[in-house]
Amino acid sequence: MTDIDDQDEGEDIDLASLPDDELVEQMHDDLYDGLREEVVEATNILLGRGWGPVKVMNEALVEGMRIVGIDFRDGILFVPEVLMAANAMKGGMELLRPLLAETGAPPMGKVVIGTVKGDIHDIGKNLVGMMMEGAGFEVIDIGINNAVEKYLDALEQHKPDILGMSALLTTTMPYMKVVIDTLVEQGLRDDYIVLVGGAPLNEEFGKAVGADAYCRDAAVAVETAQALIAARRDAA
Ligand code: B1M
């Protein structure tokens, strides 16, 4: 079904015939509409025209997802559309990832993100991870139902700049404090920026558990991560 629909829509516009600026605009539209095949094709076309991977990522993919993020926040787009857009972006990113690694372009930073113990909700966490990837972060997603030991193992193994935790249940959100308290006990708290999010949380809760920031949504998570990493690098 989807393949046929995608093909039908893809036949409407010959992407290769568009000049660069129109192609980029078309990519923003295709991302918005979650058309993965078209986004992948256009990514390939831009690379074939000599665009560097950083330029393709920033001007075509990240900018497209920025628009999606704004409309999601404003209630114009809903979860299914955002997941499709994120999937389309991932298609483009998969092409760029090895090229970005080759150029040695410094990543924005590294993030370990996971849903806390007892909680299997992952849609919001996945969105945050994808939006962060789109913004140039390296994201290590450790999944759902994470006990403190799993967070510690991931931090030890990946040495990220940021630890992100998600919780959707009022019964599981207190577990964030268990993780942060353990980091404090082990003298590791200051090694990481800790961001928390999830529908039942708020700013007050974020402060109470000792996080650096509570993030209302995926767009705020990206903005907060960028701001706190920049502040940390300036301080260093
Ligand atoms: Co559940 N569930 N659920 N559920 N579920 C809620 C959360 C609930 C509010 C529904 C309700 O009763 N109205 C309620 C919680 C009540 C409470 O705690 N007070 C609830 C319940 C009770 C349960 C079960 C206990 C039901 C049962 O079995 N009796 C059970 C618990 C299972 C468990 O976890 N142990 C359960 C199960 C499920 C499903 C499996 C069916 C499914 C999850 C599927 C999945 O995730 N793969 C599910 C769903 C889908 C929901 C609702 C309907 C939608 C959640 C969602 O995906 N929202 C939810 C009701 C609701 O929230 N309206 C509900 C969309 C998502 C994009 O938003 O996750 O908030 P959100 O993420 C946002 C921000 O919060 C933020 O950015 C995201 C993107 O903008 N954010 C972060 C999130 N994590 C972040 C991390 C960050 C930063 C930002 O780190 C840096």
Side-chain angles (χ1 to χ4, degrees), residues 54-72:
V54 176
K55 189 170 156 81
V56 179
M57 180 177 82
N58 288 335
E59 294 184 25
L61 300 179
V62 173
E63 176 57 18
M65 276 309 277
R66 191 185 67 80
I67 299 164
V68 170
I70 290 169
D71 278 5
F72 180 48

Side-chain angles (χ1 to χ4, degrees), residues 65-66 68-70 72-73 82 86 113 123-135 137 195-198 214-226:
M65 276 309 277
R66 191 185 67 80
V68 170
I70 290 169
F72 180 48
R73 187 163 57 193
V82 177
I113 189 166
I123 296 172
K125 166 187 70 64
N126 294 347
L127 278 175
V128 172
M130 287 177 190
M131 293 284 286
M132 284 199 157
E133 255 189 10
F137 286 90
L195 303 181
V196 294
Y214 153 72
C215 307
R216 187 182 66 236
D217 58 33
V220 170
V222 170
E223 283 160 16
T224 308
Q226 286 168 334

Side-chain angles (χ1 to χ4, degrees), residues 69-228:
I70 290 169
D71 278 5
F72 180 48
R73 187 163 57 193
D74 294 346
I76 297 164
L77 286 180
F78 296 96
V79 174
E81 288 110 326
V82 177
L83 288 177
M84 283 179 71
N87 182 45
M89 186 198 72
K90 274 199 147 187
M93 285 301 293
E94 274 165 23
L95 281 179
L96 297 182
R97 195 171 288 132
L99 302 172
L100 288 168
E102 274 170 27
T103 64
M108 283 293 304
K110 206 192 267 190
V111 184
V112 161
I113 189 166
T115 303
V116 297
K117 186 177 169 185
D119 201 321
I120 63 167
H121 294 85
D122 68 357
I123 296 172
K125 166 187 70 64
N126 294 347
L127 278 175
V128 172
M130 287 177 190
M131 293 284 286
M132 284 199 157
E133 255 189 10
F137 286 90
E138 182 182 346
V139 176
I140 297 111
D141 185 339
I142 58 170
I144 54 173
N145 193 23
N146 284 291
V148 62
E149 296 78 14
K150 282 214 193 152
Y151 283 109
L152 291 176
D153 285 351
L155 295 176
E156 166 76 21
Q157 188 186 340
H158 300 288
K159 310 241 178 304
D161 303 283
I162 296 176
L163 167 63
M165 288 190 279
S166 180
L168 264 287
L169 300 171
T170 46
T171 49
T172 58
M173 57 193 242
Y175 197 77
M176 292 175 166
K177 183 157 164 49
V178 174
V179 178
I180 294 174
D181 284 353
T182 308
L183 289 177
V184 173
E185 277 161 25
Q186 300 200 358
L188 298 170
R189 175 63 187 87
D190 292 341
D191 294 352
Y192 309 103
I193 294 165
V194 179
L195 303 181
V196 294
L201 279 62
N202 57 32
E203 209 145 338
E204 212 172 44
F205 175 84
K207 280 194 191 125
V209 295
D212 289 292
Y214 153 72
C215 307
R216 187 182 66 236
D217 58 33
V220 170
V222 170
E223 283 160 16
T224 308
Q226 286 168 334
L228 293 183

